[in-house]
Amino acid sequence: MKRAGDPLWLRVLLIAVSTAFLGLFVLLPLIAVFAGALRDGLGVYLRALAEPEAWSAIKLTLLVAAIVVPANVFFGLAAAWTIARFRFVGRSLLTTLIDLPFAVSPVVSGLIYVLMFGLHGWFGPWLSAHNLKVIFAVPGVVLATLFVTFPFVARELIPLMEEQGSEEEEAALVLGAGGLRTFWSITLPNVRWALLYGVILCNARAMGEFGAVSVVSGHIRGRTNTLPLQVEILYNEYQFAAAFALASLLSLLALVTLVIKRLAERKVAREKRAGLSLEPSLEH
Amino acid sequence: MSIEVRHITKTFNQHQALRDVSLAVPNGELVALLGPSGCGKTTLLRIIAGLEEPDADDSARVLFDGQDVAERGVGQRRVGFVFQHYALFRHMNVFDNIAFGMRVKPWRQRPRRGQIRDKVTHLLELIQMADLGRRFPSQLSGGQRQRVALARALAVEPKVLLLDEPFGALDAKVRADLRSWLRRLHDELHMTSLFVTHDQEEALEVADRIVVMNDGQVEQVGTPDQVFHQPTNTFVADFLGKVNLFHARVEQGKLVAGALVMDAPASGAAEGQAAQVLVRPHDLLVARVADDTAALPAKVTRVISTSSVVRVDLVTTDGQTLQADLAHEAFAPLALSVGDAVFVGPRRSHVVVDDYVI
């Protein structure tokens, strides 16, 4: 939007500064990742991805996401439903708790689980007595990721569901629809884009999480290393081409996430607008 | 189907929205629940629909045709409910909105695809929106949304129609049209209907019977004529339109309010008892010269003659403001203007002896 007061030189300066800043600190590193990955040729790149350890890291990352994202969709929907639809004691406390993983450093999130499930943790003796491993094993990685990514879905849904209210659901119930039917044909379609948006953010974080996972994983090569952890190991061992090759996968994921996020954002805005225009209007 | 509620109390966080309300709606009538906002009328409607539960009480009952429906869930009561903000399904078009109730029926009772289509088409014609089935709610005007909401409720062939502030969110012109349309529709379908409103004009115009509510209780039930002309207390009188109120006392068989002396009602209030004399603006007589009826001195403060009656605002010597509505023919010979000293008195009045405190 053009404002009368801003002189041309100021506008040009501001645009130039922000473009240069973004280019220097965001775009250039992104290009560097792909350049570094392909520095020694496509053959090296593909071989780096096909390494058993790399391949295992990719599979583990996908596995973690495949467990964490559906779980958080479920918990997120449940939490959002509870908070948006009911008034109860402790409601604001619950709302605050949902934000906790955002407020806490990921390293601390990981340590919490070590404290609980580690060998000397609360449940450690019981777990080792039953020959179950959580810390330094896949379950720990899943738990830590679950914790860190919990807010994404719930946070997207709560404001939208609060704004939409429960009248449509009540209307469906009065018309004879059961609870499940109402959920599938009214509640879910009304929040589908916000849900998708939350899922995408949740997925991106689940695949990219470093801190919390690093604490609980134990860095066992080929077993408990996720992609970000594998990248760090390779980098520390001066295998730059391999490190960048894996990093490029994560960057690609980021780019795809951004595109879908952009689309979903637009749809969410439309959902909200549709909601607003359903408010009492005075025009005929 | 007749509706009856008995001894319904409903409490929200220590606030009593309904206090021991009992009410009967005869089969086929169009009844208005009228009251100021917060009087509990919507809560009562939602309890009848099954969207809220009354406070647990052994004597609390909701009866449809004499049968207790407490055990029936909201989906089994076969009520049509029209929400205040319509609650149309925003991601479905008009056709799918109307068809929803038929499509969610259990498999055995569900009409076939063709039957559903015919029924929706018929309903679209009924609401004069035959060509708009593919529109989405956000593409409709307020009046159209309201009619779709009504068609959606009617599609499941309810026994009872419940409407929450059906015209509340519409502008005056559309509201007037929809009101008379609803009345005609009711005359065609003869379905027991209960609608909530805070607009006394709407209730008086549309309903067969009006239930006036205030502060969680029923103040009066009656035909529009009864509640308008024979209100049982000053709240009802005041809520159903402008009324001039005179505080009177019974002295020697007469009602005395300052300079006004009126015949006591036949029912007879005891000597010395306080009573309220209610005079509608069109029953307030204005005269240049005092006589037996127009005995109270007053001063004209405002004259508005741009309506079907001339409205004259007055103030008595005690500072009480009054309103008189005069026919133009009656106003012409008086030729009142602001500041004129006149005498007023009731041509006709209604007396209530009640304990309602304003």
Side-chain angles (χ1 to χ4, degrees):
Chain A
M1 210 191 315
K2 188 181 162 185
R3 288 216 326 257
D6 300 333
L8 180 70
W9 66 266
L10 181 64
R11 269 184 281 150
V12 171
L13 184 72
L14 283 174
I15 293 169
V17 165
S18 30
T19 313
F21 184 88
L22 275 173
L24 199 61
F25 291 98
V26 179
L27 199 62
L28 202 60
L30 195 65
I31 293 168
V33 168
F34 288 102
L38 294 166
R39 190 172 50 183
D40 300 337
L42 196 63
V44 176
Y45 178 81
L46 291 176
R47 263 200 304 285
L49 293 185
E51 276 287 310
E53 280 178 20
W55 185 231
S56 138
I58 293 171
K59 278 194 294 187
L60 179 61
T61 300
L62 291 177
L63 174 74
V64 169
I67 297 171
V68 165
V69 172
N72 274 339
V73 166
F74 178 77
F75 290 132
L77 270 170
W81 179 286
T82 312
I83 286 170
R85 293 289 181 264
F86 304 117
R87 297 284 171 274
F88 54 93
V89 183
R91 181 172 168 271
S92 59
L93 183 71
L94 187 62
T95 316
T96 315
L97 271 181
I98 287 176
D99 282 345
L100 185 70
F102 277 168
V104 131
S105 158
V107 176
V108 177
S109 315
L111 281 174
I112 295 168
Y113 286 98
V114 175
L115 196 66
M116 277 166 58
F117 301 114
L119 202 53
H120 304 290
W122 297 347
F123 306 107
W126 186 88
L127 286 170
S128 62
H130 290 80
N131 222 355
L132 295 170
K133 266 189 84 69
V134 174
I135 299 304
F136 305 146
V138 174
V141 175
V142 172
L143 281 177
T145 311
L146 201 60
F147 179 83
V148 174
T149 55
F150 178 71
F152 288 102
V153 173
R155 287 272 307 225
E156 280 309 312
L157 293 182
I158 291 168
L160 184 66
M161 286 175 84
E162 275 187 333
E163 195 177 293
Q164 291 182 344
S166 52
E167 269 202 345
E168 284 180 51
E169 283 147 14
E170 286 181 345
L173 292 174
V174 175
L175 287 169
L180 209 59
R181 176 75 191 233
T182 302
F183 178 78
W184 281 113
S185 33
I186 307 300
T187 313
L188 212 50
N190 276 354
V191 299
R192 60 196 160 182
W193 291 110
L195 185 63
L196 175 66
Y197 185 69
V199 163
I200 291 159
L201 293 182
C202 176
N203 182 60
R205 184 68 189 268
M207 291 189 170
E209 174 57 24
F210 181 84
V213 171
S214 172
V215 176
V216 296
S217 109
H219 305 274
I220 307 167
R221 293 177 182 222
R223 299 250 311 271
T224 63
N225 269 347
T226 58
L227 266 179
L229 300 183
Q230 187 70 17
V231 170
E232 196 212 13
I233 287 178
L234 291 172
Y235 182 80
N236 285 344
E237 292 173 351
Y238 304 103
Q239 303 185 40
F240 295 127
F244 278 121
L246 288 189
S248 73
L249 286 185
L250 287 171
S251 307
L252 268 181
L253 169 73
L255 291 177
V256 171
T257 301
L258 282 181
V259 170
I260 305 178
K261 176 172 168 283
R262 186 85 191 87
L263 289 176
E265 255 172 355
R266 231 183 276 175
K267 295 282 190 182
V268 171
R270 198 167 301 168
E271 252 168 22
K272 281 200 176 145
R273 268 207 307 280
L276 286 182
S277 65
L278 278 182
E279 293 295 302
S281 67
L282 288 176
E283 92 280 18
H284 182 36
Chain B
M1 188 160 73
S2 67
I3 308 171
E4 194 183 347
V5 298
R6 291 186 197 152
H7 306 296
I8 297 286
T9 298
K10 178 71 185 176
T11 315
F12 293 111
N13 302 326
Q14 281 127 43
H15 167 72
Q16 281 203 318
L18 292 173
R19 291 187 281 167
D20 195 27
V21 169
S22 296
L23 179 69
V25 179
N27 185 25
E29 275 198 2
L30 177 54
V31 175
L33 285 176
L34 175 68
S37 60
C39 74
K41 53 196 192 302
T42 294
T43 306
L44 183 59
L45 197 74
R46 289 171 61 88
I47 285 175
I48 293 170
L51 288 167
E52 303 274 358
E53 289 212 12
D55 289 355
D57 181 341
D58 287 341
S59 55
R61 294 268 185 286
V62 177
L63 309 166
F64 285 1
D65 266 345
Q67 282 190 318
D68 197 329
V69 293
E71 296 305 312
R72 280 191 239 167
V74 55
Q76 275 82 54
R77 294 199 183 181
R78 298 203 61 187
V79 298
F81 199 100
V82 176
F83 289 82
Q84 186 174 3
H85 299 311
Y86 326 130
L88 296 180
F89 306 133
R90 67 190 79 200
H91 64 279
M92 294 182 199
N93 64 26
V94 168
F95 187 100
D96 292 337
N97 261 282
I98 297 174
F100 184 84
M102 288 182 275
R103 287 179 178 157
V104 299
K105 277 184 196 247
W107 180 71
R108 278 169 196 288
Q109 300 160 32
R110 195 184 310 154
R112 267 172 311 178
R113 196 178 273 265
Q115 288 174 304
I116 292 179
R117 198 183 49 233
D118 292 347
K119 177 100 191 193
V120 174
T121 310
H122 170 73
L123 283 165
L124 281 171
E125 278 162 16
L126 185 75
I127 60 170
Q128 299 143 18
M129 287 176 60
D131 301 330
L132 302 178
R134 302 178 79 92
R135 292 269 185 97
F136 281 85
S138 56
Q139 300 166 315
L140 301 176
S141 72
Q144 289 171 331
R145 286 174 199 172
Q146 179 59 274
R147 284 179 283 160
V148 174
L150 203 54
R152 183 178 67 178
L154 292 174
V156 290
E157 294 175 2
K159 305 272 194 190
V160 175
L161 193 57
L162 306 173
L163 307 105
D164 186 9
E165 297 272 3
F167 315 115
L170 302 168
D171 69 44
K173 173 80 174 70
V174 182
R175 190 146 79 198
D177 290 349
L178 268 180
R179 251 189 231 166
S180 47
W181 181 75
L182 178 70
R183 181 67 235 187
R184 283 200 307 276
L185 190 75
H186 181 265
D187 292 340
E188 260 174 56
L189 301 175
H190 284 296
M191 189 184 299
T192 311
S193 309
L194 194 55
F195 76 100
V196 158
T197 180
H198 62 265
D199 181 343
Q200 86 283 357
E201 235 179 89
E202 194 167 290
L204 290 169
E205 187 183 315
V206 177
D208 295 318
R209 195 180 293 267
I210 296 177
V211 178
V212 184
M213 291 185 67
N214 181 37
D215 198 18
Q217 286 176 311
V218 174
E219 297 282 354
Q220 187 175 358
V221 181
T223 63
D225 270 347
Q226 283 169 340
V227 291
F228 187 80
H229 292 297
Q230 288 133 35
T232 51
N233 59 44
T234 48
F235 174 83
V236 175
D238 195 43
F239 198 77
L240 280 159
K242 177 68 191 168
V243 69
N244 298 299
L245 186 66
F246 298 97
H247 301 283
R249 192 168 289 280
V250 181
E251 286 170 17
Q252 297 166 349
K254 292 276 183 183
L255 275 168
V256 181
L260 291 177
V261 178
M262 295 154 281
D263 289 332
S267 57
E271 183 71 16
Q273 193 169 16
Q276 321 294 333
V277 180
L278 309 168
V279 185
R280 295 278 179 210
H282 58 265
D283 288 331
L284 194 68
L285 200 66
V286 182
R288 287 276 187 188
V289 190
D291 60 25
D292 284 352
T293 313
L296 190 67
K299 205 157 79 172
V300 176
T301 58
R302 198 161 179 228
V303 177
I304 303 168
S305 61
T306 49
S307 163
S308 52
V309 293
V310 182
R311 175 177 152 185
V312 181
D313 287 352
L314 306 126
V315 61
T316 66
T317 43
D318 324 336
Q320 188 187 0
T321 56
L322 301 171
Q323 181 184 324
D325 290 347
L326 278 64
H328 282 275
E329 305 83 76
F331 177 79
L334 285 169
L336 297 172
S337 56
V338 173
D340 285 0
V342 291
F343 294 91
V344 299
R347 182 184 297 122
R348 198 162 45 143
S349 65
H350 179 70
V351 180
V352 293
V353 184
D354 70 2
D355 49 10
Y356 177 75
V357 185
I358 292 180

